[in-house]
Amino acid sequence: MFKRKWFILLTVMYMLFIGVQGVHALEQNQLPNIKILATGGTIAGSAPTNTKMTGYTVGEIRIQTLINAVPAIRQYANVSGEQIANIGSNDMTDEVWLKLAKRTNELLADPKINGVVITHGTDTLEETAYFLNLVVKSDKPVVLVGAMRPATAISADGPVNLLNAVRLAASKSAAGQGVLVAMNDEINGARDVTKTNTSHVSTFKAPELGYLGYFNDGEPYFYRKVTRKHTKDTEFDVRNLTELPDVEIIYTHVNENRALIDAAVAAGARGIVYAGSGMGSIHRNAEPALVDAQKKGVVIVRSSRTGNGIVTPSSAQWTAEHFLDGDNLNPQKARVLLQLALTKTTDLAEIQRMFNEY
Ligand code: GLU
């Protein structure tokens, strides 16, 4: 009798144990599935000593090692990594962009995938973010993340940035916000964010317009929404593209001459973003070259080297010369939009409309 009681008690306890394990497994399975696409950069960088913050080798560490270094990630998402490239983002190319965009679209079309995180060097992270913001065809979260200190550094910022990025990609609040950047406990929108400092961890800012939200204890909080069209509301589709049109940036300065503009045209540029002074002002030595380029079918967009503010049709002459206005996109982002615009049309009114919309 006594033995039987013990048998029943042990059986019940065993069943309870199995039940708890089952619930636990179920909870695990209910975690969002996040794919991490790795492209390299400082977040995957390695230095000979932990006090070395510059002069290290970027893109040394592969994605699985980065994920393994932050076990806490697994509390918030089922993550798996995929290596798209392992380069410094100063070497980013259209080829890697197209591969990244196509893979991101493929993954997000899978109902089992809830979001994508992309690890990236910080130098051109803003351009990749804006490119993806215009070509990803999904409402699901896409979050770019990098680091300013190599993975081997004392107080490396990569692990916490990666954890935040995964939590953001796993969060319902990030859906429909366009491509996001998670760095330094802040959430920025792809269109407005830019790298503002060569070395500080607080380098990513959206000058004037501000970030969309921030992380508190790793939890993302949003306070603003992006107003410009993005992701699945854009007209751009890279599915069948194998290359992007060549667009060059010409940066004005005192005593500018026309040599670089002529060289860009001779090299086959289909568009030129002119990083003008002030409100996209053009040097009188450069203007005839831009007019000649425009007459040959090269699309000219005026932008500004100031880093802030809007470029509008500020001169009747430049408008008459058919130069377009880059709104408040910085030159490198105006270049991205012009590349994509040229995949659709060369009609100037249409391209100006795109600059007003995106
Ligand atoms: N130049 C490298 C890159 O953009 C390192 C910069 C960084 O990731 O912070 O990948």
Side-chain angles (χ1 to χ4, degrees), residues 242-312:
T242 52
E243 56 182 16
L244 294 170
D246 180 16
V247 173
E248 299 296 330
I249 298 174
I250 300 287
Y251 194 103
T252 192
H253 52 85
V254 167
N255 210 36
E256 186 183 1
N257 63 42
R258 58 178 294 157
L260 292 182
I261 298 170
D262 289 339
V265 176
R270 293 189 47 212
I272 290 177
V273 171
Y274 187 79
S277 50
M279 195 189 270
S281 295
I282 299 170
H283 197 293
R284 65 160 64 134
N285 296 346
E287 194 176 346
L290 292 174
V291 170
D292 291 346
Q294 202 282 323
K295 285 187 180 143
K296 287 186 181 144
V298 180
V299 178
I300 313 296
V301 173
R302 289 190 309 122
S303 176
S304 174
R305 64 176 201 175
T306 60
N308 283 301
I310 186 166
V311 172
T312 55

Side-chain angles (χ1 to χ4, degrees), residues 17-338:
F17 175 74
I18 294 292
V20 167
Q21 293 301 307
V23 169
H24 195 65
L26 207 65
E27 275 171 3
Q28 284 277 320
N29 288 337
Q30 279 170 351
L31 288 176
N33 296 314
I34 304 298
K35 183 64 98 173
I36 306 181
L37 300 180
T39 69
T42 296
I43 193 166
S46 142
T49 66
N50 69 354
T51 50
K52 190 98 182 96
M53 306 287 176
T54 63
Y56 48 84
T57 315
V58 299
E60 281 267 285
I61 299 169
R62 295 185 70 81
I63 185 58
Q64 198 51 49
T65 312
L66 293 181
I67 295 172
N68 293 346
V70 195
I73 283 179
R74 305 216 178 263
Q75 289 170 30
Y76 302 100
N78 302 314
V79 290
S80 59
E82 208 174 292
Q83 202 80 38
I84 297 287
N86 214 359
I87 56 174
S89 72
N90 45 299
D91 291 328
M92 188 51 67
T93 60
D94 292 353
E95 196 188 337
V96 176
W97 267 5
L98 289 171
K99 188 174 167 193
L100 190 57
K102 288 175 187 180
R103 186 64 185 134
T104 303
N105 277 327
E106 209 171 73
L107 287 165
L108 295 178
D110 179 347
K112 293 194 289 297
I113 299 285
N114 299 90
V116 166
V117 167
I118 296 164
T119 60
H120 200 287
T122 57
D123 289 0
T124 61
L125 185 146
E126 64 192 84
E127 284 153 87
T128 301
Y130 188 50
F131 174 69
L132 295 174
N133 194 53
L134 295 172
V135 302
V136 165
K137 296 293 158 205
S138 174
D139 257 350
K140 293 180 187 173
V142 176
V143 181
L144 270 83
V145 64
M148 289 302 288
R149 294 176 181 156
T152 45
I154 185 170
S155 296
D157 52 336
V160 69
N161 286 346
L162 186 62
L163 178 60
N164 283 349
V166 169
R167 292 188 66 177
L168 184 59
S171 152
K172 289 199 167 56
S173 63
Q177 305 267 19
V179 173
L180 299 169
V181 175
M183 292 275 300
N184 195 39
D185 278 340
E186 289 161 0
I187 305 166
N188 273 293
R191 185 184 183 280
D192 298 329
V193 71
T194 190
K195 186 175 184 180
T196 63
N197 187 287
T198 55
S199 48
H200 292 173
V201 291
S202 58
T203 185
F204 281 95
K205 300 206 182 333
E208 299 183 308
L209 300 175
Y211 42 76
L212 303 178
Y214 37 62
F215 297 90
N216 183 49
D217 209 10
E219 182 78 33
Y221 290 81
F222 277 90
Y223 295 90
R224 286 181 229 287
K225 276 199 178 301
V226 285
T227 56
R228 293 298 180 101
K229 278 191 186 174
H230 58 76
T231 54
K232 65 181 185 31
D233 294 329
T234 80
E235 59 211 272
F236 307 115
D237 186 350
V238 293
R239 258 172 306 187
N240 296 319
L241 296 182
T242 52
E243 56 182 16
L244 294 170
D246 180 16
V247 173
E248 299 296 330
I249 298 174
I250 300 287
Y251 194 103
T252 192
H253 52 85
V254 167
N255 210 36
E256 186 183 1
N257 63 42
R258 58 178 294 157
L260 292 182
I261 298 170
D262 289 339
V265 176
R270 293 189 47 212
I272 290 177
V273 171
Y274 187 79
S277 50
M279 195 189 270
S281 295
I282 299 170
H283 197 293
R284 65 160 64 134
N285 296 346
E287 194 176 346
L290 292 174
V291 170
D292 291 346
Q294 202 282 323
K295 285 187 180 143
K296 287 186 181 144
V298 180
V299 178
I300 313 296
V301 173
R302 289 190 309 122
S303 176
S304 174
R305 64 176 201 175
T306 60
N308 283 301
I310 186 166
V311 172
T312 55
S314 50
S315 143
Q317 182 171 324
W318 296 330
T319 304
E321 285 165 344
H322 309 294
F323 301 155
L324 307 184
D325 308 300
D327 198 299
N328 68 346
L329 291 175
N330 66 24
Q332 57 271 32
K333 290 201 190 175
R335 179 185 168 278
V336 175
L337 180 54
L338 184 52

